[in-house]
Each structure stands twice: as structure tokens, then as C-alpha cells.
Amino acid sequence: MGMKYHSSKSNASNKFLSLKSSTILTTTLFIASLVYFFAPSRNSQEPHFLDHHGGGLFHDDLRDAKFPWNKLSFGPISNEKLKLAVFSKTWPIGADPGGMERHAFTLYTALATKGHEIHVFTVPSDRKFHDNIHDGSLHVYFAPNDHGSLNCSLAFDIFDQENRARPFDYVHTESVTLPHWRAKFVPNVAVTWHGIWYEIMHSKLFQELLDNPNGQGSMNELQEAMPRLVDEIKFFSSYSHHICISNSAGEVLVNIYQLPQRNVHVILNGIDESNFVYDPIAGTAFREKIGIPSNVTLVLGVAGRLVRDKGHPLLHEAFSFIAKHHPGVFLLVAGSGPWGKRYAELGQNVKVLGALEPSELSKFYNSLDVFVNPTLRPQGLDLTLIEAMHCGKPVLTPNYPSITRTVVLNEDFGYTFSPNVGSFVKALEAAIRDGPEILQRKGMICKSYAVTMFTATKMALAYERFFLCMKNNRYCQYPLPTDF
């Protein structure tokens, strides 16, 4: 009896010590990574953002570029056509597509328009049956499983048939749509990361701090995140080349994931610049259409999925305070999700519009004085920020490296805050104090920057040059005679 009791006590003690050690280790690693995460970059070598072309500053092999390829001005190369295979989690069907879907549609449609043969292996975003799409040089193959998600084996079989008919020049996957255990058997494969576990880990940290400010939570998700991160670092080398959509993600892949600098490239997301334009007349008409009172002093706006990890608990609480102390401030909410009903309960200073059709989004942005993005996800490059900037609007957003090192470079572009309610309220009050005139001036700076960096044209040219470079080293040199 005594031995059994001693053993039980010992096991309990060991479990406690193991849990305690695990918690300490996780916390230590988080603190260490946060120091890196928020530390200013020391090795940027990045052309100043006002040097829109960057050609006068960079004459070298593109694989050595330590800044976004969007900064360079690539000319068309009409005598070289590519056959590309693409693995994408979903293909946008209907309204309200996600950011990765919109990125895929914009990029591959643009490349097909330029004459490259594009074969996309994916599923419809609405998870319904649709025929395959064959539109000129763009071929979209839907390969769903019984649940509507991508059947990777079926998609790879279709890919294999096309590859045998005429080999692909290069294979591209959106994140892990092509799993690493298959990617390592494909000789020429590049992956675009729309989010990495290092960034997801910090997202879980911020959500934990928001949910349990007194540290009384279980921290299960935080403890589960670390093994996922370690596993991800191990399998990333299965992909030949890595494209990041923010400067900070590129730095993480080199400095923490320990990937070779020459295998990591930054190409920023772009949007169709013809769909999102500065149009104050359309903005005024939109305000009248939805019934915004004429005596409103400032209009804030938020767009996207109205879910927890997009930061809506933060915005809901922060705007509740703002509405009481600044009754002339109005909030427009575009999007669908569980937080829509909660915003509607805030009263007459808030209007919930639901999910808007793409044709209405530009009008929505133009109706605002400042665009707010409260996200708790320090990953990727949110397209709503870029869309608002194209429409001449300053932005108010968390101070994550993926944003401050790529989008909101300084206070001329808008306002940043730490992901907590107090800091958020201070940023909102700063925008209110500045007022419409200063906000408009900041918005014009945002517009000037966006049209030189975040366009579908710039993105497509950069990806085209990347794939050409991967096929033939001579296209890796910059500038070529065809470059601007």
C-alpha cells in the first residue's frame, strides 16, 4: 500500500513538474520570439518607399533581393510562355470570398491573360457542384471530396495526367494545399505562405491575453501551438522556394525557420486596381443611400468576416466607449458573421450592412473617413487594408510587424495600436482629434503608396518574373533591357 501511494504521489509530482516546465518553456519561448517579432529590422536593405521603381537602387540577381519584388518595375517578356500548375484550397464562387481565394483568382487570371497556360487544381468556395472551367489559357479543375474540401489524391492524379501530356515548367501551391509529403517528390515547386505557425502562435497569444487578462486560463492552445511550429519548421524544406506576402514573414523564414536566404522571396498581394479607386462622389452617394445622418462628424468602417479572431471583441468594446464620449462618430460594419448582431445592439451610431457585393465595396470604402482593421491575426497581408488605401483612406490597425513593415510604414499612413482595448481607444481618439481634413491628407498618402505597390498588375509581373527566373537563370538578372 505504501509503495503504491508513494508511486502515485511521485507520478502526480512528476506530472506537475512536467506541466510546470512545459509552461515555463512555452512562456520563455514566447517572450524570446516576441522580442524578435517586434524588434525593428536591422538588415532591411529596402529601397525607400518613395522610390517607386527601385530600379536605380538594385542591379543584381533577383534571388538576392531582400525587399518585395513589387518595388521593381518589370517589363513584359512576350516571347516566353509558361505552363504552370497551381494547387489552391478553394476557388471563389459567389460573393464574400476569403483573402487567399481572391489572391488566387486575381493572380492566375492575370497570368492567363498574359498568355501563360495556367492549370489550377482546387474546389469551389461554395462547396457545391460546378463544372471545370476552361477559359482561354486558364483551366480550373475541381477535385472535391465528399465534404467539399480538396481531394489531394484526386487533384494530384489530374495534375499527373496533365504533366505527362506536357511537363509543367513550375508548380505553385497556395500554402499547404500541396502537402509537404507530396511536394518533396515534385522537382520544381514554390509555395506562397499566407500565414505561418510562428505568426499563428502570436495570434493565439493575443487572444489568450484578451480572454484571460489575469492569467487564469488553461493556455492549452498556446501549449499546443509550439509543437505545431516545430513540426512546420521541419517540413518547410520540402518546398524548393518560398514566397512570403510580408517583409516580416520573410525575415522569420530566414532567421527562425533557418531557410536559405536565396530560397525566400517577398511578393506582396495586389488587388485589381480598376475595381478600387478614389471616388468621393460615389462615397457621398453611398452615405445617402444607407441613411447616414448628415450631422455625423466622422465615419469609421470595418469590413470582412465578423468573427472573433478578426478582432471584433476588441472593436465592439472600444467603440462602445467611443460612442458614449463622441456621439458624432459613426461606425459602418460590412461583412457577415456572429458579431453582426452584437454590433447592431450598440445603437444608432452603428449600421451593419452585411456582406457586400464586390461592386459595392469600393463605394463603401469611399464613404469612410478612416478604415479600421482590429484583427487579432498578425499574419499574412489583409486585402481590406489595401483596398481601403486604394480608395484614398487612412487605416487604423494593430502594430503587427506584418503590417508596420509592409503597409502602414509610419504615422502618415494612419494609426496603429497594441492589440488591447486601452491602446485601441487611444488610437481611435487620435483619429477623431485629427478630424476629416488631416484624415483625408493621410488617405492621399496611402493611395499614392498603394498604387505603386499593391496592384494586381505589379503582383502578376513579379510572379511572372519569379517563375521565369526559376525556369531560366538569365531572367533572374535585374534589370533586363525589357524592364522599365
Side-chain angles (χ1 to χ4, degrees):
M1 292 289 290
M3 287 297 291
K4 289 182 180 180
Y5 175 78
H6 177 74
S7 175
S8 174
K9 183 177 179 180
S10 176
N11 288 339
S13 177
N14 288 338
K15 288 179 180 179
F16 173 76
L17 289 173
S18 175
L19 178 61
K20 186 176 180 181
S21 298
S22 174
T23 302
I24 292 172
L25 175 61
T26 300
T27 304
T28 303
L29 286 170
F30 268 121
I31 293 171
S33 64
L34 280 173
V35 171
Y36 171 80
F37 197 66
F38 290 107
S41 175
R42 296 180 181 178
N43 302 310
S44 178
Q45 297 185 27
E46 182 175 337
H48 192 276
F49 84 89
L50 289 177
D51 180 11
H52 297 155
H53 300 301
L57 297 175
F58 185 80
H59 291 74
D60 207 340
D61 191 307
L62 288 165
R63 290 167 293 188
D64 294 323
K66 296 181 176 66
F67 54 86
W69 288 31
N70 310 58
K71 285 186 175 288
L72 303 174
S73 294
F74 299 111
I77 300 176
S78 57
N79 62 339
E80 188 85 58
K81 299 304 177 187
L82 297 160
K83 182 182 181 183
L84 301 176
V86 175
F87 289 84
S88 181
K89 287 186 178 179
T90 54
W91 190 256
I93 302 291
D96 203 26
M100 192 186 304
E101 298 161 1
R102 291 158 66 194
H103 169 269
F105 178 85
T106 301
L107 172 59
Y108 305 124
T109 300
L111 289 176
T113 300
K114 292 168 71 64
H116 301 293
E117 187 178 333
I118 311 296
H119 296 258
V120 184
F121 308 97
T122 185
V123 295
S125 60
D126 63 3
R127 301 198 173 210
K128 297 178 181 178
F129 174 80
H130 292 273
D131 291 327
N132 294 335
I133 299 170
H134 298 283
D135 183 8
S137 297
L138 179 65
H139 308 275
V140 181
Y141 306 90
F142 295 125
N145 59 23
D146 293 338
H147 304 288
S149 300
L150 183 68
N151 183 330
C152 191
S153 296
L154 176 57
F156 203 79
D157 286 343
I158 302 171
F159 158 80
D160 200 39
Q161 294 173 21
E162 276 295 330
N163 193 49
R164 285 199 303 267
R166 183 165 68 87
F168 288 104
D169 293 308
Y170 221 80
V171 178
H172 183 226
T173 175
E174 300 285 351
S175 292
V176 292
T177 308
L178 181 64
H180 64 89
W181 60 86
R182 287 191 181 273
K184 63 184 177 182
F185 297 113
V186 179
N188 299 314
V189 58
V191 55
T192 291
W193 297 112
H194 295 269
I196 55 178
W197 261 96
Y198 184 84
E199 295 172 320
I200 295 171
M201 181 180 71
H202 291 90
S203 177
K204 293 183 179 298
L205 170 62
F206 295 137
Q207 292 183 56
E208 178 68 31
L209 291 173
L210 181 65
D211 293 343
N212 301 293
N214 298 321
Q216 297 178 350
S218 64
M219 295 202 301
N220 286 338
E221 288 195 2
L222 286 179
Q223 292 174 350
E224 292 169 1
M226 189 61 70
R228 294 287 298 271
L229 171 61
V230 173
D231 181 58
E232 183 175 82
I233 292 174
K234 290 179 179 178
F235 75 67
F236 262 41
S237 59
S238 299
Y239 301 95
S240 305
H241 284 267
H242 304 259
I243 300 172
C244 300
I245 60 174
S246 71
N247 289 322
S248 61
E251 293 169 5
V252 168
L253 291 198
V254 173
N255 297 335
I256 293 180
Y257 284 43
Q258 303 174 51
L259 295 171
Q261 177 75 64
R262 268 203 156 202
N263 292 10
V264 177
H265 321 277
V266 179
I267 300 178
L268 309 178
N269 286 347
I271 61 161
D272 187 341
E273 58 268 37
S274 65
N275 288 338
F276 296 93
V277 296
Y278 176 62
D279 189 346
I281 295 176
T284 300
F286 189 83
R287 284 193 183 195
E288 294 175 354
K289 175 184 174 181
I290 63 176
I292 294 182
S294 57
N295 62 345
V296 165
T297 57
L298 203 71
V299 178
L300 310 174
V302 61
R305 292 185 296 115
L306 307 182
V307 294
R308 184 173 190 78
D309 66 347
K310 291 293 187 178
H312 291 286
L314 270 179
L315 178 57
H316 185 277
E317 187 173 346
F319 191 77
S320 298
F321 177 88
I322 291 296
K324 293 176 183 177
H325 295 82
H326 303 276
V329 177
F330 201 90
L331 175 64
L332 281 182
V333 181
S336 59
W339 280 83
K341 183 177 180 181
R342 301 184 191 184
Y343 280 121
E345 294 169 353
L346 287 180
Q348 60 184 9
N349 287 61
V350 179
K351 192 170 189 67
V352 180
L353 304 174
L356 297 178
E357 292 293 332
S359 59
E360 291 289 293
L361 270 176
S362 182
K363 299 173 185 177
F364 162 77
Y365 290 125
N366 274 284
S367 72
L368 309 176
D369 291 302
V370 61
F371 177 73
V372 180
N373 184 341
T375 183
L376 291 172
R377 303 179 66 192
Q379 61 195 80
L381 193 62
D382 200 315
L383 295 181
T384 59
L385 288 172
I386 297 170
E387 292 166 350
M389 292 171 76
H390 271 278
C391 295
K393 301 303 167 184
V395 295
L396 196 152
T397 183
N399 56 358
Y400 306 139
S402 59
I403 294 173
T404 59
R405 295 185 196 172
T406 304
V407 184
V408 187
L409 302 184
N410 56 53
E411 61 185 12
D412 290 336
F413 294 80
Y415 311 84
T416 61
F417 59 92
S418 299
N420 63 72
V421 174
S423 181
F424 196 174
V425 168
K426 288 181 180 179
L428 288 168
E429 290 187 321
I432 294 168
R433 283 195 304 271
D434 282 347
E437 186 175 337
I438 292 178
L439 291 173
Q440 184 178 16
R441 188 159 65 245
K442 289 176 181 283
M444 291 300 97
I445 294 173
C446 286
K447 176 178 174 292
S448 296
Y449 181 51
V451 297
T452 63
M453 290 290 287
F454 307 122
T455 68
T457 301
K458 296 280 287 187
M459 177 178 68
L461 284 169
Y463 270 93
E464 178 187 50
R465 188 60 162 271
F466 169 81
F467 291 122
L468 288 169
C469 170
M470 295 300 106
K471 181 181 179 181
N472 189 327
N473 285 344
R474 72 186 182 92
Y475 292 114
C476 296
Q477 293 303 309
Y478 184 88
L480 293 177
T482 53
D483 294 325
F484 300 121

